Amino acid sequence: MHTWRSILAVATVGVLLAGCGGGTDEPDTPAAAGPWSFKSGNGETVTAEKTPTRIIAHAGEAAALMSFGIRPVGIYADEPVKTDANLKNLDLAGITILGEEWGKIDVEKAASLAPDLIVGDWWPVEKAYSGLEEGVDEKSKKLTELAPIVGVTQGESIADLAEGYEALAKSLGAKVDDPKIAENKQRYEKAVAAFKAATAAKPNLTAAGMSPTDEKVYVANPRYAPELLDFQRWGLKVMNPATPDADFPYWETLSWENADKYQPDLILWDGRAYKDTLNAEFGRKQPTWFEVKAAKAGAVVSWPAYWLHTYGDFATELEKLTTAINGADENIGS
């Protein structure tokens, strides 16, 4: 059975539920050495006699590695690479695309690349790596027969996720202290400082991660949304839903009749489907949406839900959020 994160990765052209730090100017791929080892997100340590060089990676994980100069030979994505938030601005010339739909990986083509490592996030709720969760094509799962798989846990912090891929890249030979590479991390650190200053100036400002769809309204549970946990740590009062869905606690699902159960000052809209006109569109077709006071006031900003992997992308998104916080009203939801 598909999870909501996986189902909505398929529904790219609709409202989704679950960057490019290096841009198109990535550092040179380092030379290999050995022996090599890395402790993966599932707790297992993977070892090899030589440092892997022929890497196949899931979309966001590929972007993370590329931001440190590690260029994979193949990428599998959950949507077209031209629209994938992690990949759309990257130079993918010479990289074989193995899939552009959730759950569908061309394993035969992947085998032709002779990979020596697969990289994907480890999702602790699903107990699976990205693209290999329950519900994917059984043929896709055969990817793990081609090479060992490692990845960083999608846990409690995007900062930790970025640091984890920095560590993986370093183990693969990346010179992470190179000024060209370190620039994105420095920009990220400045963005965090500005975000903290903005929230400190508005200590009573509340926010909620929300994703309206035609059928339901989904309220994000920060416990399973590392971006939102980071925002909480940095001073933004992101609401915790009272009754997350028992079978998949990433969200609390609300009927449209109960859309106004939570009244934040600022709505953090799932950014994978966000566009500036959506708030008004839902206000027209679902009148109860504007019973959420922040929606009625237009106090809405995109939230980078479940896709961030690089320091550069996180910096860009934090800068947008900081601008929204600076312009927000602490009294809308009260």
Side-chain angles (χ1 to χ4, degrees):
M1 183 180 74
H2 288 169
T3 65
W4 266 111
R5 184 176 62 79
S6 304
I7 289 171
L8 293 164
V10 176
T12 309
V13 183
V15 175
L16 303 178
L17 293 175
C20 315
T24 58
D25 185 23
E26 295 113 22
D28 295 333
T29 300
W36 177 85
S37 69
F38 185 78
K39 185 174 182 180
S40 191
N42 66 352
E44 297 179 6
T45 298
V46 176
T47 61
E49 292 182 3
K50 295 182 179 180
T51 301
T53 59
R54 300 191 60 79
I55 299 166
I56 290 174
H58 184 247
E61 298 83 309
L65 293 177
M66 290 172 72
S67 74
F68 294 108
I70 305 295
R71 196 170 177 86
V73 296
I75 292 174
Y76 63 98
D78 299 333
E79 62 179 286
V81 296
K82 290 182 179 180
T83 61
D84 186 287
N86 285 290
L87 300 175
K88 61 184 180 182
N89 295 323
L90 289 178
D91 177 10
L92 303 180
I95 298 176
T96 302
I97 305 304
L98 302 169
E100 296 181 90
E101 180 181 351
W102 182 84
K104 295 184 182 299
I105 304 169
D106 189 333
V107 175
E108 184 175 343
K109 186 182 288 186
S112 72
L113 298 176
D116 50 15
L117 187 68
I118 313 294
V119 177
D121 290 342
W122 173 256
W123 293 86
V125 174
E126 294 93 328
K127 293 181 172 58
Y129 287 98
S130 290
L132 303 171
E133 304 94 332
E134 182 180 355
V136 306
D137 284 356
E138 287 302 311
K139 291 181 180 179
S140 296
K141 293 183 179 180
K142 294 183 180 296
L143 182 71
T144 58
E145 297 176 5
L146 303 181
I149 184 167
V150 299
V152 181
T153 301
Q154 273 280 357
E156 298 184 352
S157 171
I158 292 297
D160 290 348
L161 188 72
E163 289 174 5
Y165 281 106
E166 181 178 10
L168 176 57
K170 186 175 182 179
S171 78
L172 294 168
K175 298 177 181 178
V176 298
D177 295 327
D178 183 284
K180 187 177 181 181
I181 294 175
E183 181 179 349
N184 283 316
K185 187 172 184 179
Q186 293 165 1
R187 180 169 156 249
Y188 154 78
E189 290 169 346
K190 290 180 180 178
V192 171
F195 185 96
K196 289 180 177 179
T199 58
K202 294 186 177 179
N204 297 316
L205 184 73
T206 60
M210 302 182 76
S211 187
T213 71
D214 289 340
E215 296 79 22
K216 304 284 185 180
V217 177
Y218 297 88
V219 180
N221 181 4
R223 181 179 176 187
Y224 297 101
E227 311 89 1
L228 299 183
L229 286 175
D230 284 333
F231 301 161
Q232 286 182 334
R233 290 187 196 97
W234 300 334
L236 183 60
K237 292 184 176 179
V238 182
M239 293 178 170
N240 296 297
T243 53
D245 299 346
D247 58 341
F248 197 67
Y250 284 85
W251 307 88
E252 178 179 348
T253 305
L254 303 178
S255 67
W256 273 107
E257 290 77 13
N258 295 316
D260 62 345
K261 178 176 179 179
Y262 300 102
Q263 292 289 347
D265 298 313
L266 181 64
I267 292 171
L268 307 178
W269 197 303
D270 187 333
R272 290 166 297 173
Y274 179 75
K275 57 183 180 179
D276 291 340
T277 58
L278 273 180
N279 189 53
E281 288 174 13
F282 273 98
R284 286 193 299 270
K285 63 186 178 182
Q286 296 287 358
T288 53
W289 178 237
F290 277 171
E291 291 180 16
V292 182
K293 297 174 184 177
K296 179 70 173 178
V300 175
V301 65
S302 173
W303 152 48
Y306 304 110
W307 65 265
L308 288 172
H309 282 78
T310 72
Y311 290 120
D313 284 332
F314 206 179
T316 297
E317 296 300 322
L318 284 173
E319 288 162 1
K320 295 176 186 176
L321 286 161
T322 299
T323 297
I325 291 168
N326 285 333
D329 182 349
E330 293 177 281
N331 300 308
I332 287 178
S334 56

